[in-house]
Amino acid sequence: MGTRQTKGSLAESPGASARERGELWAALLLRSGDKAARAGSASGAGVGLPPYHRRVGMIQELLSLVRQGRQEEAGELLRHLRQDLGMESTSLDDVLYRYASFRNLVDPITHDLIISLARYVHCPKPEGDALGTMEKLCRQLMYHLSPHSQWKRHSLMKRKSQACLKAVLLGPPPDNTVDLSGISLTSRDLERLVAYLQRYEEQVDILELGFADLTDDMVLRLLPILSSLPHLTTLALNGNRLTKAVLRDLTDTLKDPSKFPRVTWIDLGNNVDIFSLPQAFLLSLRKRSPKQGHLPTILELGEGPLGGEESEDSMPMGAKHPKRGQEKASLP
């Protein structure tokens, strides 16, 4: 018989060593990975929680440890978070330096924020408001890895999802954008979405399907209509239950110039185990948009056009202001 572990028990057990805590988190990642894999084979919405729930919980735990001054345990937890996000190396030098120039990652925003977190956890600076900076980085990372619509309204999202879906599919897409992010889609919903896209195919430039509980099979069902949209430039599939197995089908489809004719980016970040993109995938996108390469902006909560002035200080190193379709990383 085993003892049930919770986030609270992990954070509040001062007798546990960093190694013991690491083993607990490793077991949690294994169990969560098994659940995600089983969910990925379902034809509809999967069972269990998508990977982003686990990752956000780890960031919250990390911040709690740092606030308590437990740097060694925070460093161990950060190592497991890096592994869960596909940054396989356990060497601090690799995280801080070698990976800094590695840019064919599926999610450069998360990569840059993790590097910044590693610097503050492993190389804390006594001067200035180091804890405040750490808290800001954690907030940015949690926001980036979770449905933005749930940031303030956790209790309303599930209850309103079907109403939101019906509202979006009611008429032509505003600003040529179909935004279904944060809405859990079922097999029946996919049929309605396919019919909608067929009807308004000339008016869809951006399609947001992030955090929609999509599995590999569901994306494969959508692939024929998605690849035929003549004006689609941005396709967001982040925060779902997708595995690297679906990359083969996406890459093969992109090799055909008549498919996804105007796509400049397909966001596959924050899924189960898609951590980097095949060269063939990247080359196919490059042919469609040779000048593409800007990173989105990350803003602090309350900043930006909806909540105040933009802050350059909140942008990860190397980030640029977003073009149309890249604003999803900005805090409201």
Side-chain angles (χ1 to χ4, degrees):
M1 294 178 64
T3 302
R4 183 177 180 181
Q5 298 291 338
T6 64
K7 291 189 292 184
S9 63
L10 286 172
E12 298 165 6
S13 54
S17 66
R19 181 180 297 274
E20 291 171 339
R21 294 171 59 82
E23 292 173 353
L24 290 173
W25 275 109
L28 173 62
L29 295 182
L30 180 60
R31 291 196 299 269
S32 301
D34 290 341
K35 290 180 181 179
R38 289 194 298 269
S41 62
S43 59
V47 179
L49 297 176
Y52 76 83
H53 283 272
R54 176 180 68 249
R55 291 161 185 167
V56 170
M58 294 175 74
I59 299 166
Q60 292 171 333
E61 174 76 6
L62 173 66
L63 181 56
S64 175
L65 291 173
V66 171
R67 285 171 174 165
Q68 299 173 52
R70 298 157 70 176
Q71 299 296 131
E72 182 181 356
E73 294 168 89
E76 182 70 12
L77 181 53
L78 179 60
R79 182 173 71 86
H80 287 288
L81 177 60
R82 295 200 320 262
Q83 291 175 326
D84 193 35
L85 289 167
M87 300 175 70
E88 296 293 345
S89 172
T90 59
S91 165
L92 177 60
D93 288 340
D94 284 346
V95 173
L96 297 185
Y97 304 108
R98 183 166 61 134
Y99 278 103
S101 60
F102 191 57
R103 276 294 177 260
N104 67 326
L105 297 171
V106 68
D107 189 356
I109 289 292
T110 295
H111 171 259
D112 286 347
L113 288 173
I114 288 292
I115 288 178
S116 297
L117 280 178
R119 287 174 177 150
Y120 276 92
V121 170
H122 294 286
C123 310
K125 298 180 181 180
E127 70 279 1
D129 187 10
L131 180 58
T133 303
M134 182 78 178
E135 291 175 340
K136 184 175 183 178
L137 286 170
C138 287
R139 286 196 303 269
Q140 290 176 333
L141 190 53
M142 285 188 290
Y143 182 82
H144 181 59
L145 293 177
S146 59
H148 301 177
S149 56
Q150 291 188 12
W151 190 251
K152 293 182 179 180
R153 299 186 295 274
H154 294 269
S155 61
L156 297 182
M157 189 58 204
K158 185 175 182 180
R159 181 166 54 89
K160 294 181 61 177
S161 61
Q162 290 303 313
C164 291
L165 176 64
K166 293 178 181 179
V168 172
L169 302 183
L170 191 59
D175 300 321
N176 297 328
T177 298
V178 180
D179 187 358
L180 298 177
S181 59
I183 301 176
S184 181
L185 299 178
T186 66
S187 180
R188 183 176 180 181
D189 294 333
L190 292 190
E191 297 175 2
R192 297 172 61 189
L193 176 58
V194 168
Y196 178 85
L197 294 176
Q198 289 173 339
R199 180 178 181 182
Y200 295 106
E201 62 178 1
E202 295 289 338
Q203 303 177 50
V204 179
D205 294 353
I206 300 171
L207 180 56
E208 301 276 359
L209 294 175
F211 305 99
D213 280 327
L214 294 179
T215 64
D216 291 357
D217 289 341
M218 296 172 79
V219 169
L220 293 182
R221 287 178 57 188
L222 290 173
L223 191 56
I225 183 61
L226 296 180
S227 62
S228 67
L229 296 174
H231 304 295
L232 182 67
T233 59
T234 301
L235 174 61
L237 297 171
N238 57 304
N240 286 295
R241 307 170 187 271
L242 306 183
T243 71
K244 57 186 176 184
V246 80
L247 277 176
R248 176 179 299 179
D249 296 275
L250 287 172
T251 302
D252 289 344
T253 302
L254 283 168
K255 290 178 181 178
D256 184 349
S258 67
K259 306 294 185 181
F260 290 113
R262 294 193 180 182
V263 161
T264 59
W265 185 243
I266 300 177
D267 187 353
L268 291 163
N270 198 17
N271 277 285
V272 176
D273 60 356
I274 302 176
F275 306 128
S276 60
L277 299 172
Q279 285 297 317
F281 183 101
L282 294 171
L283 288 174
S284 297
L285 288 180
R286 177 73 65 178
K287 291 178 181 178
R288 290 164 170 81
S289 181
K291 297 182 180 180
Q292 183 75 8
H294 294 299
L295 298 181
T297 302
I298 292 252
L299 300 179
E300 183 54 72
L301 186 64
E303 297 173 345
L306 297 181
E309 297 179 356
E310 288 189 0
S311 171
E312 294 289 341
D313 294 335
S314 64
M315 297 168 60
M317 185 178 300
K320 305 293 184 180
H321 287 284
K323 293 182 178 181
R324 183 179 180 184
Q326 293 180 318
E327 298 88 349
K328 71 168 37 266
S330 300
L331 294 175

